[in-house]
Amino acid sequence: MTKEQVEQVRRFSRTTAERIGVLHEHHLGGTRPYGQARLLWQLGDDGAPHDVRTVRDRLGLDSGYLSRLLRALEGDGLVAVAPHPDDRRVRTVRLTEAGRRERARLDERSDAHAAALLAPLSPDRRTELTDAMAKVERLLTAATVTLDPLDPDHPDAAYCLRAYAAELAELFAEGFDPAASLLPDPDALRAPRGLFLVARLHGEPVGCGGLKLPPGAPAEIKRLWVRPSARGLGLARRLLAELEERAARHGAGAVRLDTHRALTAATRLYRESGYTEVPAFNDEPYAHHWFEKRTGDSDMA
């Protein structure tokens, strides 16, 4: 990144903080600072309990700060904190009736504030601004995704593998049975034979990719998947590039993968990322295209 890019991000952050009012002690003219107001909004308006750890991950807060926010809101009667009914080590939080009324007032003020930001602009400028905001939101969301190597039996990894199989079963005319593929179980994606990456957004699994690392042979990418709600963030390309880099780090001179003819978006991604279609190198029953890429290619995605 360049110095100019860093300076632009800082200018944008200052302008945004000023315009949305986070510098004010009372957010949107209410009685609460921004942190408390944001937490009220995150808890929704249905009064349902939320796992405190999930809320913390979603907002990117440290435990101490979140605890202070909860104590303040609980003291004002806006939230109720209690142990989880199935695990008393886990805390849950929900809005009280007073909290739901406070959140409704915040929504009204937020709508009015957003309208006030747009009002001085012409219709074309409003569209330009909101389109730009949507793009910035998408890019910032993509930047918050983490890629973590996990054991395939980890709950987040297992969730991704189940979701992957369920989606393919719907997409493929012949269905999809993981037991019938050349990777009937994820053991080949466990160190030292391989690795498994899980993409997380706000602490929730949204994608995965596996890498088989057979000694003295090309690495092989398997089970590359992105949850539909997280598509459009460039996550599949990022997972692919990370797997390629890790294959190179393990000394693999090439990376291979295969795909089904129904997965046209995946096929396009592989071609755009520098993969070359090659003759079949395995007997995968669900494959119609086989690809290979040298790990030292200069056009690595």
Side-chain angles (χ1 to χ4, degrees), residues 36 39 62-74:
Q36 292 182 22
L39 180 54
D62 67 70
S63 298
Y65 181 51
L66 178 58
S67 293
R68 292 193 294 274
L69 291 177
L70 289 174
R71 283 197 299 270
L73 295 174
E74 191 174 26

Side-chain angles (χ1 to χ4, degrees), residues 12 18 23 63 75 77 88 104 114 127 155 165 179 211 224 231 284 290:
F12 179 81
E18 176 186 345
L23 303 178
S63 298
R88 297 188 66 82
T127 299
L211 189 67
L224 185 64
R231 291 171 189 172
E284 172 59 59
W290 290 260

Side-chain angles (χ1 to χ4, degrees), residues 20-191:
I20 68 175
V22 299
L23 303 178
H24 297 239
E25 185 175 354
H26 302 301
H27 183 55
L28 296 176
T31 60
R32 317 200 162 274
Y34 180 80
Q36 292 182 22
R38 181 66 181 83
L39 180 54
L40 284 174
W41 188 88
Q42 181 62 36
L43 295 178
D45 61 358
D46 57 3
H50 297 260
D51 186 324
V52 170
R53 293 176 300 185
T54 301
V55 173
R56 182 189 65 204
D57 291 341
R58 178 64 182 82
L59 295 178
L61 303 177
D62 67 70
S63 298
Y65 181 51
L66 178 58
S67 293
R68 292 193 294 274
L69 291 177
L70 289 174
R71 283 197 299 270
L73 295 174
E74 191 174 26
D76 290 339
L78 302 181
V79 303
V81 180
H84 193 283
D86 298 326
D87 187 348
R88 297 188 66 82
R89 296 170 299 176
V90 177
R91 293 188 304 160
T92 64
V93 57
R94 64 173 179 83
L95 290 182
T96 63
E97 187 59 37
R100 295 171 68 182
R101 291 195 298 269
E102 179 74 7
R103 187 186 185 281
R105 286 191 288 269
L106 282 171
D107 269 342
E108 292 174 359
R109 295 191 188 107
S110 293
D111 286 346
H113 183 69
L117 286 176
L118 295 171
L121 302 176
S122 68
D124 286 347
R125 289 291 188 179
R126 292 172 191 168
T127 299
E128 183 180 356
L129 176 59
T130 52
D131 287 349
M133 285 177 167
K135 184 174 183 178
V136 170
E137 179 186 14
R138 185 173 67 254
L139 292 173
L140 288 178
T141 299
T144 66
V145 174
T146 61
L147 302 183
D148 305 303
L150 297 180
D151 188 274
D153 286 335
H154 186 283
D156 286 353
Y159 161 81
C160 289
L161 289 170
R162 288 194 304 271
Y164 166 90
E167 183 170 352
L168 295 194
E170 291 186 2
L171 287 175
F172 295 177
E174 70 274 29
F176 178 76
D177 179 5
S181 75
L182 290 185
L183 190 67
D185 65 69
D187 190 60
L189 304 179
R190 182 177 287 118

